[in-house]
């Protein structure tokens, strides 16, 4: 049987998306049709690929821990739902691994100072790597 790795690193059959544990922990994001259309659109797909091509590693982990981890996705530092006008602004985008994204979204959900401080750090990281 052909296998692949789940996000957590466990071997799973190629026809599965996640292992049993990850599937039980997975909560699909509640997205509106507008969000689905945006993230599924050609313009976003092209831009997110370009950002990951420019920086193929998770810049958050690299900056904070000095480790090189492949970037799986691109995150809006200021969320799309809060500032749609920044949707395609590269200075508002950071490549992340899925685990970093989950960690960051957890902190964002706390709101307040924790969210603001993390957004400030992510902006600092982007500024640092755009000048390199």
């Amino acid at each position: 049987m052909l296998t692949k790795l789940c996000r957590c690193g466990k071997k799973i059959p190629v026809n599965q998306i996640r292992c049993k544990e990850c599937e039980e922990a997975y909560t699909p994001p509640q997205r509106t049709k507008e969000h689905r259309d945006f993230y599924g659109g050609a313009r976003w797909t092209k831009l997110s690929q370009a950002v990951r091509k420019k920086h193929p590693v998770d810049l958050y982990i690299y900056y904070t821990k000095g480790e090189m981890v492949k970037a799986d996705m691109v995150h809006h530092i200021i969320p799309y739902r809060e500032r749609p006008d920044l949707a395609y602004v590269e200075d508002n985008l950071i490549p992340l691994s899925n685990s970093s994204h989950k960690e960051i979204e957890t902190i964002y959900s706390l709101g307040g100072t924790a969210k603001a401080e993390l957004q400030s750090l992510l902006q600092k990281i982007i500024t640092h790597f755009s000048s390199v």
Side-chain angles (χ1 to χ4, degrees), residues 26-54:
Y26 178 70
T27 305
Q30 301 300 314
R31 300 206 183 222
T32 64
K33 181 181 180 332
E34 177 187 359
H35 283 88
R36 287 190 305 271
D37 290 347
F38 171 77
Y39 287 107
R43 185 175 177 194
W44 170 253
T45 301
K46 222 176 192 180
L47 179 59
S48 65
Q49 287 172 346
V51 169
R52 282 182 283 142
K53 185 175 182 178
K54 184 177 179 181

Side-chain angles (χ1 to χ4, degrees), residues 79 82 103-119:
E82 291 176 19
E103 177 185 332
I104 288 168
E105 287 296 331
T106 300
I107 294 169
Y108 274 26
S109 71
L110 300 173
T113 307
K115 178 181 176 182
E117 288 175 357
L118 181 55
Q119 285 176 317

Side-chain angles (χ1 to χ4, degrees), residues 48-57 90-91 95 129-130 132:
S48 65
Q49 287 172 346
V51 169
R52 282 182 283 142
K53 185 175 182 178
K54 184 177 179 181
H55 299 291
V57 299
E90 283 195 50
D91 289 344
F129 284 102
S130 64
V132 173

